[in-house]
Amino acid sequence: MWDGYTPWVLAGKPTVNFVTGRGQTNGSTTKGSYPTAVGSGLQNLGTASLLTYIEGSSIPIMDWRNMARGARLGNQMPAAPAGVFNSGLILSTDRSQLDFTGFTKANAIVDLKANPWGTTNPNDAKYSNKSIFIEQNLARDLDVELAWNQFEMDYVFNSFGMQNYINVDPNEVLPDGSPNPYVGMPYIETGNGGNGTRKQASWREFTNKRVTVSYRLNLEKFKPFERFGFLKTLGLGDYRLAGLYADEDFHTKLYASRIVNVTPLPGNAAATPLNQNVNRLNRRYYLQPGEDSYQLRGPDLFSQASTPGAPAANDGPLRFEERNSDEAPRNNRQATASWVAALQGSWWRAGDGYHRLTGMYGIRRDTREANAQTFTRLASGEYPIPVNTYGGLEEAGVWGQETSFSADTKSYNLTFRPISAVRLFYNYSNIFSGGASNFEDVFKNTLRPTQGDTKDYGIKLDLWNERIFLAVTRYETTIFDQTNDNTGTVREPINQIYDAIERPDLLLDRPFSYRDDATKGYEYTVTGSLTKNWRARATVGTQETFVSANMDEWVTYHAQMMPVWEAGLNGQGRATPLVNPSSGYTTVGNAIDRATQRLKDARAIIGTRPTNQRGVNSSLNTTYSFSEGRLKGLRIGGGYRWASANILGYARDAAGNSDPSKPFKGKEQLSTDASLGYSMKVARGRATWDIQLNVYNVLNEKDPLPRTAVDDGQGNPIYARNYLPDPIGFQVTNTLRF
């Protein structure tokens, strides 16, 4: 959670009352007339309608526009008392990421290990997986496999629309002027009307059909060099040929609805489009004393029977309904046909099962065809499909032009064993992954496929007659157009601009970005059978990734849209006020500057290591199996996983730009695991029953770990985001093999 509470405390916990004039500017009785300057501890909730429903309360829905909230840590906070933050916050340049400064132990009002959102976002998932496999030996050394697999999933996400702040309510009265029973209390809520109460339903069906044929061709008995002394045992080799044809179909459908006001807003003669933020229902939940997380106190808002009632009389009659006024529905089809051919050969036989030279070469062609429907929003701001069903998608959408592309890739390797205990190897492979047809880039284009290549080479050693193996591998990977769903921070100020200039048609929903990476590293592995029943495996890996391109298409988007942003609304230009201002952040000009800075920050990683990458990883897994006595069939295991400190962010230089030479680092990670299993023969030896308990994070290490750090203005880190590691977990597997 991020801190929207502490600045109010530091300012002396001020409260406002537009009825009596308490805390107002010069005793004014006009809503919004209270000090919001830096250090006042107060900010305006918003200048546009903010229809708010208070969870678990009988208070009717009211318009909270121009009501107050506690100030958030903005870009010009004065110095904080010692011990509250890592250092003071005296900032001379825009530090927009400081809006996301998180609680520290010194000022937290909830347990840092708690999830304040509790049960606000329930998910419903129904899925099925059906598979059929037929394997047949058609003739000697000729095998065929026929396979069919279908996976279907219907996933419903009921979103509270959470905003990761803990706020505080400094209003002594409610918007209708009546006493506010929650004054001075912390709360969580949706994004000030920008997110709202939302339901997203996604249906997916993936079907795969494939045919695999393999044939072994052994020509070792042919020895054309038997007259040449030491080459007399050299045959023509042992070969395996394989071919595969696969046909995949991927069909996705999606709709997203919100609870919105469907009547004219107070003071308006006609209803505004339902997709505009002013119609969205904001949900607020006050944390009671001693309470760390949300608890459902009333009916589910997505139940028609529980839709909230009318607000106070002075705000006029409003009616809330669930409508498909959110992001555009989706109905996408994607088909991929794949042909694969591979040849593996072994030559220079030096012993039973031992060839000095082994190689493989394989080629693959993927042809992908994709098509998607487009949906036109009605003048009312909603899409013409029934609520809570996929049934109307086909009729409401228009199929676009089918797209098709083919990609040819290859893989090959070579292994040389000069002596039995030593293997030298080299592997190469192309990388190809088709872009997801149900997502788009910032220009609403279907995502490009991800491509690249990878190679690894090294040595494997048999150190103790096949009881201990050592492997050292060097790997290099280059990848282009890797897609990332990480644009929220960059698009947030852009969408604030579109809200301010009344262009909901331009709002960015969930565009992906592209990134190019180059990675190099080493992996060291030791695998040992220390005794007949005791096995262990230890690995240490190092990797270093450098970003060669990131969000290039967003630079073009900024350049194209900048004239629209700079024009503002009704000739006001950069001075156009934002719908939801905050301290030091009130105009379209401020949002343009923030959008520009955040894009610059996102691209600052070009030529450096990406954040959150851990340069060194290691693991150990060991298992002991009992083969005799009363414990026969029992096995016990344990291990650990360790990762070095990651990069959380960078300090800023004098110009306010990220300085890659001064990274802020997080903490190392260490987790321990354990397992207990048992196997036995059943059904008179015709089947094997196996049961195993896996325990993850045995020591239950669950202290919060930092995810993001920002510069406090003096070159010191402020941990802007934290996360909780997975607590101790248990998994039981039960298998019956025939």
Side-chain angles (χ1 to χ4, degrees):
M1 296 299 292
W2 299 321
D3 187 359
Y5 183 88
T6 300
W8 178 72
V9 175
L10 298 179
K13 299 184 178 180
T15 59
V16 298
N17 188 322
F18 69 85
V19 175
T20 66
R22 175 181 169 82
Q24 299 277 104
T25 304
N26 299 322
S28 172
T29 57
T30 302
K31 289 182 183 179
S33 297
Y34 44 80
T36 57
V38 173
S40 68
L42 299 174
Q43 286 185 1
N44 194 320
L45 268 168
T47 57
S49 288
L50 183 58
L51 306 173
T52 301
Y53 168 63
I54 299 175
E55 293 277 328
S57 170
S58 60
I59 295 174
I61 294 171
M62 296 183 186
D63 187 351
W64 282 70
R65 80 174 90 184
N66 288 323
M67 298 296 286
R69 71 176 176 202
R72 298 179 179 177
L73 289 171
N75 57 357
Q76 294 180 10
M77 275 296 298
V84 176
F85 299 108
N86 301 58
S87 66
L89 302 180
I90 303 176
L91 310 176
S92 58
T93 59
D94 177 39
R95 312 288 182 178
S96 58
Q97 281 296 315
L98 287 178
D99 285 342
F100 306 123
T101 301
F103 287 107
T104 66
K105 291 183 179 179
N107 68 337
I109 58 175
V110 298
D111 187 342
L112 289 179
K113 298 179 182 179
N115 172 21
W117 290 100
T119 58
T120 58
N121 300 302
N123 303 328
D124 300 315
K126 298 178 182 178
Y127 67 91
S128 65
N129 193 0
K130 295 168 285 188
S131 301
I132 299 175
F133 297 91
I134 300 176
E135 298 178 352
Q136 183 65 46
N137 176 243
L138 299 180
R140 181 179 179 181
D141 296 327
L142 177 62
D143 299 289
V144 64
E145 179 199 60
L146 304 177
W148 176 87
N149 180 69
Q150 185 176 77
F151 176 82
E152 182 179 2
M153 183 171 189
D154 192 352
Y155 179 86
V156 179
F157 177 46
N158 298 284
S159 173
F160 188 102
M162 62 184 182
Q163 184 185 46
N164 288 328
Y165 275 103
I166 292 183
N167 300 289
V168 65
D169 186 351
N171 301 285
E172 295 182 357
V173 294
L174 297 171
D176 65 352
S178 61
N180 180 10
Y182 301 108
V183 60
M185 290 182 61
Y187 64 88
I188 57 176
E189 69 175 353
T190 58
N192 288 330
N195 292 325
T197 304
R198 181 175 188 262
K199 176 188 288 184
Q200 178 176 295
S202 176
W203 173 84
R204 304 175 184 179
E205 183 182 76
F206 175 79
T207 304
N208 173 277
K209 295 168 286 186
R210 72 173 184 267
V211 179
T212 305
V213 179
S214 64
Y215 179 68
R216 181 185 180 187
L217 179 62
N218 191 348
L219 301 180
E220 280 292 336
K221 64 181 179 180
F222 298 103
K223 304 183 185 302
F225 308 106
E226 57 185 352
R227 296 181 180 180
F228 297 93
F230 71 97
L231 295 178
K232 64 181 180 180
T233 62
L234 188 63
L236 292 182
D238 188 0
Y239 303 90
R240 294 183 183 272
L241 299 90
L244 175 145
Y245 171 75
D247 186 358
E248 298 179 348
D249 290 293
F250 187 37
H251 189 188
T252 62
K253 295 181 180 181
L254 177 144
Y255 67 81
S257 62
R258 291 188 187 272
I259 292 181
V260 293
N261 167 48
V262 297
T263 64
L265 291 164
N268 292 359
T272 54
L274 300 181
N275 62 314
Q276 291 198 11
N277 288 343
V278 293
N279 280 316
R280 294 178 178 178
L281 183 62
N282 192 51
R283 294 171 67 181
R284 179 178 297 186
Y285 181 85
Y286 288 95
L287 294 168
Q288 304 299 317
E291 187 177 55
D292 289 325
S293 63
Y294 169 92
Q295 301 294 327
L296 182 63
R297 294 180 185 149
D300 177 13
L301 272 182
F302 275 103
S303 170
Q304 288 291 334
S306 63
T307 301
N314 64 328
D315 280 335
L318 301 178
R319 188 173 76 254
F320 290 86
E321 295 180 4
E322 185 181 356
R323 297 291 186 90
N324 289 316
S325 60
D326 196 59
E327 63 180 292
R330 297 180 192 141
N331 187 16
N332 304 328
R333 295 181 180 274
Q334 181 176 285
T336 304
S338 302
W339 296 88
V340 179
L343 172 65
Q344 177 180 334
S346 299
W347 307 275
W348 199 349
R349 188 174 183 275
D352 187 22
Y354 165 30
H355 288 80
R356 296 191 188 278
L357 194 62
T358 301
M360 186 278 294
Y361 189 88
I363 57 174
R364 177 178 182 131
R365 160 157 284 210
D366 292 283
T367 299
R368 172 164 295 177
E369 298 176 346
N371 203 347
Q373 284 191 307
T374 57
F375 298 84
T376 302
R377 196 186 293 269
L378 300 175
S380 63
E382 62 182 319
Y383 290 96
I385 62 173
V387 175
N388 291 326
T389 179
Y390 304 104
L393 290 177
E394 292 280 352
E395 295 77 12
V398 177
W399 287 104
Q401 181 67 38
E402 185 175 81
T403 60
S404 178
F405 67 86
S406 297
D408 296 314
T409 55
K410 62 180 178 294
S411 298
Y412 54 84
N413 69 19
L414 187 66
T415 299
F416 176 52
R417 297 178 66 179
I419 59 176
S420 176
V422 177
R423 291 178 173 89
L424 304 174
F425 62 90
Y426 177 89
N427 302 302
Y428 173 88
S429 181
N430 291 131
I431 296 173
F432 170 79
S433 175
S437 62
N438 55 328
F439 292 108
E440 300 173 330
D441 63 21
V442 70
F443 289 108
K444 299 187 182 302
N445 298 316
T446 300
L447 296 178
R448 300 193 295 266
T450 298
Q451 301 187 62
D453 57 71
T454 182
K455 59 184 177 182
D456 61 84
Y457 46 92
I459 183 172
K460 295 181 181 180
L461 302 175
D462 176 1
L463 300 181
W464 188 7
N465 195 26
E466 297 187 353
R467 293 178 65 179
I468 294 181
F469 289 92
L470 171 67
V472 180
T473 304
R474 164 75 171 180
Y475 60 89
E476 301 174 9
T477 300
T478 303
I479 189 167
F480 304 98
D481 289 340
Q482 181 175 271
T483 54
N484 292 288
D485 183 15
N486 62 348
T487 62
T489 299
V490 180
R491 71 177 184 263
E492 182 254 344
I494 296 175
N495 280 343
Q496 289 180 327
I497 295 172
Y498 293 144
D499 280 338
I501 65 176
E502 299 180 3
R503 291 296 304 272
D505 56 306
L506 296 177
L507 287 170
L508 299 177
D509 174 35
R510 191 183 171 187
F512 279 52
S513 65
Y514 297 103
R515 194 177 87 186
D516 299 346
D517 291 348
T519 301
K520 297 180 180 180
Y522 288 91
E523 183 174 84
Y524 308 89
T525 303
V526 177
T527 304
S529 298
L530 305 179
T531 68
K532 176 183 177 181
N533 301 329
W534 183 17
R535 293 175 175 80
R537 186 175 188 269
T539 65
V540 176
T542 65
Q543 66 172 351
E544 191 171 30
T545 297
F546 288 93
V547 180
S548 52
N550 189 45
M551 301 188 76
D552 289 355
E553 69 283 1
W554 284 75
V555 176
T556 304
Y557 180 80
H558 272 233
Q560 290 185 6
M561 300 308 299
M562 191 64 70
V564 177
W565 301 346
E566 296 277 1
L569 180 67
N570 299 329
Q572 298 177 84
R574 291 174 61 93
T576 302
L578 295 176
V579 172
N580 292 297
S582 58
S583 179
Y585 184 69
T586 60
T587 67
V588 164
N590 296 144
I592 292 174
D593 294 340
R594 178 170 293 187
T596 302
Q597 183 65 53
R598 289 189 176 178
L599 179 59
K600 185 182 293 186
D601 290 347
R603 289 174 53 78
I605 64 172
I606 297 175
T608 68
R609 287 174 53 189
T611 57
N612 282 324
Q613 183 185 93
R614 299 183 182 274
V616 182
N617 294 269
S618 72
S619 66
L620 170 66
N621 294 286
T622 182
T623 303
Y624 186 88
S625 301
F626 294 88
S627 57
E628 299 177 350
R630 295 182 178 180
L631 298 180
K632 182 179 179 180
L634 184 70
R635 61 184 180 275
I636 58 175
Y640 77 84
R641 290 166 287 137
W642 176 87
S644 62
N646 55 340
I647 295 177
L648 305 177
Y650 297 94
R652 294 183 183 268
D653 58 25
N657 298 316
S658 293
D659 185 352
S661 67
K662 298 178 180 179
F664 297 139
K665 291 191 175 182
K667 296 181 179 180
E668 299 176 358
Q669 280 187 330
L670 176 64
S671 183
T672 53
D673 305 320
S675 64
L676 180 66
Y678 182 75
S679 297
M680 65 178 295
K681 294 289 186 179
V682 295
R684 298 181 180 179
R686 294 192 295 269
T688 301
W689 173 55
D690 185 277
I691 186 170
Q692 180 161 317
L693 169 66
N694 298 313
V695 184
Y696 304 103
N697 191 7
V698 173
L699 300 180
N700 202 21
E701 298 286 348
K702 56 182 181 180
D703 288 338
L705 295 174
R707 188 185 298 277
T708 304
V710 295
D711 193 336
D712 69 348
Q714 300 178 11
N716 303 304
I718 288 181
Y719 298 116
R721 295 181 63 193
N722 298 293
Y723 71 97
L724 296 176
D726 291 335
I728 186 171
F730 301 89
Q731 179 191 58
V732 176
T733 61
N734 193 28
T735 306
L736 187 64
R737 296 190 299 271
F738 295 94

